[in-house]
Amino acid sequence: MIQDNVKRVMEEIARAAATSGRKPEDITLVGVTKTVTAVQAKELIDAGVTNLGENRVQSLLDKYETLKDEPAWHLIGHLQTNKVKYIADKVSMIHSVDSLKLAEEIDRRFQMAGRTANILVQVNVSGEESKFGIQPEDAFPLMESLSQLKNIQVCGLMTMAPKTDHPDDCRKFFYGLHKLSVDIRGKKYDNINMGQLSMGMSGDFREAILEGATIVRIGSALFQ
Ligand SMILES: *Cc1c(COP(=O)(O)O)cnc(C)c1O
């Protein structure tokens, strides 16, 4: 059943990619395993999903014990500064950087681990109070500071759209994140890459891809 879900989601990703003039391989599917066991996560890997995402450090560590480096791990949820040390040698990308203080700790811990951290800056483009992420206008000074950190590679931006029954309503937020990434690129900060846009979940990944997503984070549609 997981296999069927993966096939269906991958087909839908390919269709949305084609509609937006891109290839299926231009979009990375991150399978979000926060609601399932390591055994089910392993089924996802066997079905061809090689990037897995967890929103909490502890649940990532739990699954890491079983699955080790078999998938590439993505930390997609809010990250507390004091927990960076547990994941520095394990994750391939952190999607949720929303302060300089957090980035400085990531820089420090990844240096100790002898690695460069691939990070995305999380932006709150919808203005919802409950959501994490920086305000769009704060992205510019933050990028300037991040460009000085030697063990951090900024790879792009991430956002979460508000929950809605009408995913079309989210297109303006996805468009907003895309536009912000273009504006940041225009500033030509040293060492800041805007190649990745992590946006779109089970309910709205098609709309996100149409607006330029390169990474979609999908959980429930794979495990329903
Ligand atoms: C849970 C979660 C997802 C996946 O949500 P679904 O609606 O289950 O696809 C994506 N991104 C983040 C940050 C999440 O916490």
Side-chain angles (χ1 to χ4, degrees):
M1 198 174 79
I2 284 180
Q3 227 172 344
D4 295 337
N5 292 341
V6 169
K7 185 160 176 281
R8 197 186 58 250
V9 166
M10 282 180 168
E11 280 167 4
E12 289 180 28
I13 289 173
R15 204 172 310 137
T19 306
S20 66
R22 291 182 292 159
K23 302 193 209 66
E25 58 267 31
D26 295 338
I27 319 282
T28 301
L29 166 60
V30 173
V32 178
T33 49
K34 67 186 180 196
T35 62
V36 302
T37 62
V39 172
Q40 289 168 294
K42 170 72 172 141
E43 277 185 61
L44 207 54
I45 298 171
D46 292 341
V49 181
T50 52
N51 289 274
L52 297 188
E54 284 285 336
N55 67 335
R56 293 178 55 243
V57 167
Q58 189 55 54
S59 42
L60 191 152
L61 295 176
D62 289 346
K63 290 200 181 70
Y64 189 90
E65 246 179 67
T66 313
L67 302 171
K68 300 287 191 284
D69 279 334
E70 199 181 342
W73 289 103
H74 296 247
L75 198 281
I76 60 173
H78 183 65
L79 176 57
Q80 286 174 299
T81 306
N82 62 1
K83 299 209 170 143
V84 175
K85 56 178 177 282
Y86 302 119
I87 60 168
D89 58 345
K90 300 183 177 68
V91 291
S92 79
M93 185 172 274
I94 298 172
H95 291 227
S96 44
V97 175
D98 60 359
S99 74
L100 181 57
K101 179 167 154 273
L102 174 60
E104 285 171 342
E105 175 65 2
I106 293 171
D107 186 58
R108 197 166 78 87
R109 292 292 175 177
F110 274 70
Q111 179 178 34
M112 290 166 73
R115 307 179 65 206
T116 297
N118 293 316
I119 68 156
L120 305 174
V121 170
Q122 183 172 357
V123 183
N124 181 347
V125 278
S126 69
E128 271 197 329
E129 271 177 39
S130 59
K131 290 273 157 66
F132 293 108
I134 61 165
Q135 295 305 306
E137 62 271 21
D138 294 337
F140 298 96
L142 181 59
M143 291 299 164
E144 197 153 348
S145 304
L146 295 180
S147 74
Q148 307 302 314
L149 300 178
K150 298 227 162 18
N151 300 288
I152 283 198
Q153 175 62 61
V154 177
C155 302
L157 304 177
M158 178 272 220
T159 200
M160 283 179 81
K163 275 227 171 322
T164 169
D165 292 332
H166 308 281
D168 247 356
D169 295 349
C170 294
R171 283 189 69 159
K172 59 177 180 290
F173 303 124
F174 299 140
Y175 172 83
L177 194 73
H178 191 171
K179 166 96 171 34
L180 180 63
S181 77
V182 170
D183 292 346
I184 292 169
R185 194 178 285 142
K187 301 278 188 191
K188 301 196 186 310
Y189 299 112
D190 280 348
N191 193 36
I192 301 289
N193 189 315
M194 281 290 123
Q196 303 292 340
L197 285 177
S198 170
M199 53 188 197
M201 319 199 318
S202 293
D204 56 19
F205 69 90
R206 300 163 202 80
E207 289 74 16
I209 292 170
L210 294 180
E211 295 295 349
T214 65
I215 302 174
V216 290
R217 310 177 309 268
I218 300 180
S220 48
L222 296 172
F223 296 110
Q224 65 198 0

